[in-house]
Amino acid sequence: MGLTRSLSITPADQSMFEKAEGEKVTLPCTFVLSDEDEGPLDIEWVLIPTDNQKKEQIIIMYAVDRIYNHYYAAMTGRMQFTSADPKSGDGSLDILNLKSSDTGTYQCKVKKAPGVQSQKIQLTVLVKPARTKCSIEGSQEIGKDVTLKCASQEGSPLLSYDWRRVSGTQELPATSTLNRNTGELLLKNASQEYSGVYSCVASNRVGVDECSIELNVTPPINTAGIIAGAIVGTLLGLSLLAFLVFCCCKKHREKKYEKEVHHDIREDVPPPKSRSSTARSYIGSNRSSLGSMSPSNMEGYTKTPYSQVPSEDFERTSGQNQTFASSKYGIAHKIGDITVV
């Protein structure tokens, strides 16, 4: 392959490379010069787009004893010539920290007039399976069908899934059916012997990832008992709520009644007069009666003892006062035309 017989590129042992994301790859490009090649040496790596309408993208170039690697921003800092001196016959390219976007066809071109040679290499960057998750679909009851699921959130196709049993007999149940493409393991007519820990391994050409999950097959749940219990519990709860509401209403009515009765008593019944005011009123009335009397009219008058001055008992109703006056103070004196009690 080439336009002249002077310059030649050593055929690569392989023209297709598969690498995992994050790894390093060396794309080979070794050449041999001849005495007929007298022009300046140019080594150029380009990325050939999958769309034929687009132009080739220069990645790195060696020309006039200098290296130019600023053409392709997506690989800045991640590419370099394998040899520190490419003119020695090794124009191989190193790509570091591979990304899935690095997948494509790369071409190495060596020019030294009048010779020109080139070589193409296919690079595929694959993503290892990652973030693999296991799950269970279906009821874990005896006699039911249950499905163990496995799926990787990351990973290049084609992904393959494989299930194995970690605990117990470490063999999958006889009724199980495995789909390696979808990662589903169907267990028909499950029994308690199926219980245990299961592990799923997801793999592709560049890596593996795995997850595990525990299956616990149990007897059927007594749904009738659960429903009956729920109904009874609900009724008890409603009864308790109704009782609390009744008690609160009753307490509220009692407090309201007490406030109304207390308010009526304070408005209808005047406060009792003091003992001292009653006594002073009584003595003052006697003095006013006696003030108009002359000494000649005071004969036969007997002074009421001070100890017989009435107390609060004197403030009783009018009917009681009449009875009280006639029984307790029955002494009367007549002075002239005036009768003194």
Side-chain angles (χ1 to χ4, degrees), residues 89-103:
D90 187 2
S92 301
L93 175 66
D94 289 342
I95 303 178
L96 312 175
N97 190 22
L98 287 169
K99 298 181 179 180
S100 59
S101 59
D102 295 337
T103 298

Side-chain angles (χ1 to χ4, degrees), residues 64-192:
V64 194
D65 297 331
R66 290 188 62 182
I67 297 175
Y68 303 90
N69 58 5
H70 59 277
Y71 295 103
Y72 190 41
M75 285 190 178
T76 300
R78 297 193 297 117
M79 58 182 175
Q80 63 188 17
F81 282 107
T82 304
S83 173
D85 186 15
K87 66 182 180 181
S88 63
D90 187 2
S92 301
L93 175 66
D94 289 342
I95 303 178
L96 312 175
N97 190 22
L98 287 169
K99 298 181 179 180
S100 59
S101 59
D102 295 337
T103 298
T105 301
Y106 294 80
Q107 185 178 48
C108 172
K109 294 180 180 181
V110 181
K111 305 175 184 178
K112 189 171 177 64
V116 177
Q117 292 289 338
S118 64
Q119 177 176 266
K120 293 181 180 180
I121 295 177
Q122 179 66 39
L123 172 64
T124 302
V125 180
L126 301 176
V127 179
K128 296 179 181 179
R131 296 195 300 160
T132 304
K133 295 183 179 180
C134 295
S135 60
I136 298 177
E137 183 180 84
S139 175
Q140 301 183 51
E141 296 181 2
I142 295 177
K144 301 287 186 178
D145 293 345
V146 61
T147 301
L148 305 185
K149 291 189 170 185
C150 179
S152 294
Q153 304 300 313
E154 299 178 8
S156 300
L158 294 168
L159 286 172
S160 178
Y161 298 94
D162 188 25
W163 280 95
R164 58 189 177 89
R165 191 172 181 180
V166 179
S167 61
T169 61
Q170 297 187 352
E171 294 182 359
L172 294 177
T175 61
S176 64
T177 303
L178 173 62
N179 187 327
R180 296 183 183 275
N181 295 326
T182 62
E184 295 184 357
L185 178 65
L186 174 62
L187 305 177
K188 286 184 170 292
N189 192 23
S191 64
Q192 285 188 314

